[in-house]
């Protein structure tokens, strides 16, 4: 199942023709039982999932074409957004750290930075803005002290995420400001839709890549995660409660601008495309801070 957020309404997506995705309005198709708010679906995910399996999204009479640019975040109102750092060995090395042996570093991305898949992002003035493609797990059932073997049962699905990072803010001060440096407006795009694990070729081994103006800058596989999705959920849920709709940005592979020699960062006018196998892609275009804007 693919679940999208089209102009603020929950839709089931069919991508039988990738060039012309089509959508079924959940609220209308369910006679008002589910939706229209996409965020409301996660509160009773099991019932919604069972109902959605019965919907003929491939029927042209049910599904209507749409513009991907009108999609919002698949989970638009998470209570919490968790982000995981240094969760690929090669990325830890390029960042100047040893690979973590326990739970990798955890930090928040604030909800005000969350957007959909096709956006324009303003580059913070005086900053160095970097790219980090990531698999994002969306929680579907409340999770507290969950066993690793049961963790996937608490996942509604996965989506593509970009942990856009402004490195000057992130690395300023006596201690790094990870949460702030990664939470400017538009710095947490997700989408294009949520995909349930049963639709993936292998939920534990997906290719992810990032291209800047057509040049490949990151290429990796989620099978190389130091702490895979089940372990992240198990470890996080020992400390905090994970709620339906919450997001976990699982970490990025190597190839970020900060780790290059010389270092390289996003410039105004450039376009970033982030893709994960079996899910889809994000597209962010970057613009300079407008002249006369208030400093952030």
């Amino acid at each position: 199942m693919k679940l999208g957020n089209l102009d603020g309404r929950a839709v089931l997506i069919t991508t039988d023709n990738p060039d012309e995705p089509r959508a079924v309005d959940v609220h209308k198709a369910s006679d008002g039982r589910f939706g229209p708010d996409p965020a409301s679906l996660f509160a009773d995910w099991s019932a919604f999932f069972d109902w959605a399996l019965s919907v003929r999204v491939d029927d042209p009479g049910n599904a209507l074409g749409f513009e991907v640019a009108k999609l919002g975040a698949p989970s638009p109102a998470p209570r919490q957004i968790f982000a995981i750092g240094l969760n690929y060995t090669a990325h830890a090395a390029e960042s100047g750290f040893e690979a973590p042996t326990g739970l990798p570093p955890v930090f928040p991305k604030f909800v005000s930075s969350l957007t959909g898949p096709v956006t324009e992002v303003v580059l913070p003035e005086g900053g160095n803005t970097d790219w980090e493609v990531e698999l994002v797990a969306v929680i579907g059932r409340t999770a507290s002290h969950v066993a690793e073997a049961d963790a996937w049962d608490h996942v509604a699905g996965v989506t593509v995420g970009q942990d856009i990072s402004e490195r000057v803010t992130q690395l300023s001060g006596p201690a790094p400001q990870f949460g702030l440096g990664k939470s400017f407006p538009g710095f947490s795009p997700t989408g294009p839709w949520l995909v349930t694990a049963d639709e993936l070729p292998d939920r534990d081994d997906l290719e992810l890549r990032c291209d800047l103006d057509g040049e490949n800058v990151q290429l990796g596989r989620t099978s190389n995660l130091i702490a895979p999705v089940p372990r992240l959920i198990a470890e996080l849920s020992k400390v905090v409660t994970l709620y339906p709709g919450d997001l976990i940005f699982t970490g990025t592979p190597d190839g970020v601008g900060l780790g290059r020699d010389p270092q390289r960062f996003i410039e105004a006018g450039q376009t970033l495309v982030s893709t994960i196998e079996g899910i889809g892609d994000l597209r962010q275009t970057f613009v300079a801070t407008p002249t006369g804007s208030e400093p952030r």
Side-chain angles (χ1 to χ4, degrees):
M1 177 183 71
K2 295 180 177 71
L3 174 68
N5 172 3
L6 182 59
D7 285 331
R9 295 182 69 89
V11 291
L12 297 176
I13 305 288
T14 174
T15 56
D16 290 343
N17 182 348
D19 295 327
E20 296 182 3
R22 301 174 71 84
V24 173
D25 186 279
V26 166
H27 192 250
K28 294 178 180 176
S30 69
D31 293 325
R33 181 181 176 191
F34 298 105
D37 177 13
S40 68
L41 304 180
F42 297 101
D44 193 7
W45 182 259
S46 294
F48 169 70
F49 179 79
D50 289 343
W51 169 82
L53 293 179
S54 69
V55 179
R56 288 286 308 277
V57 294
D58 58 348
D59 183 345
N62 292 335
L64 300 176
F66 65 92
E67 296 179 28
V68 175
K70 293 185 176 181
L71 291 172
S75 178
R79 298 196 207 183
Q80 304 169 109
I81 303 177
F82 300 90
I84 310 299
L86 310 179
N87 204 14
Y88 290 82
T89 299
H91 175 57
E94 73 176 353
S95 302
F97 296 95
E98 292 186 6
T101 55
L103 179 67
V106 180
F107 55 90
K109 283 175 74 70
F110 297 104
V111 175
S112 60
S113 66
L114 185 64
T115 68
V118 181
T119 58
E120 184 178 89
V121 181
V122 176
L123 292 168
E125 191 171 7
N128 293 326
T129 300
D130 207 346
W131 55 83
E132 296 193 10
V133 61
E134 309 200 7
L135 179 74
V136 176
V138 183
I139 299 300
R141 290 172 51 198
T142 300
S144 179
H145 297 277
V146 172
E148 189 169 335
D150 300 326
W152 270 112
D153 293 337
H154 291 73
V155 176
V158 293
T159 192
V160 186
Q162 248 297 339
D163 179 20
I164 300 173
S165 305
E166 199 288 284
R167 302 301 190 186
V168 174
T169 301
Q170 176 187 333
L171 300 175
S172 66
Q177 294 276 13
F178 279 85
L180 288 181
K182 294 165 175 279
S183 293
F184 283 87
F187 271 33
S188 302
T190 57
W193 34 68
L194 175 152
V195 179
T196 52
D198 59 295
E199 290 222 1
L200 299 170
D202 183 342
R203 66 186 184 184
D204 297 306
D205 183 23
L206 301 171
E207 181 184 274
L208 63 173
R209 64 177 291 145
C210 182
D211 297 273
L212 183 64
D213 275 358
E215 175 191 351
N216 180 240
V217 290
Q218 285 185 285
L219 185 66
R221 301 199 70 87
T222 59
S223 55
N224 291 324
L225 282 164
I226 295 170
V229 170
R231 184 177 165 202
L232 291 176
I233 291 173
E235 293 297 324
L236 287 171
S237 71
K238 290 178 182 178
V239 180
V240 298
T241 299
L242 306 179
Y243 297 104
D246 282 355
L247 306 180
I248 302 175
F249 280 69
T250 61
T252 197
D254 61 302
V256 301
L258 182 69
R260 294 170 179 260
D261 185 15
Q263 292 180 341
R264 179 181 176 187
F265 301 105
I266 299 170
E267 299 177 2
Q270 293 187 311
T271 297
L272 193 68
V273 178
S274 311
T275 307
I276 299 183
E277 175 187 10
I279 304 175
D281 53 56
L282 312 175
R283 181 176 295 270
Q284 273 61 58
T285 301
F286 294 82
V287 299
T289 302
T291 303
S293 293
E294 290 296 324
R296 297 185 219 219

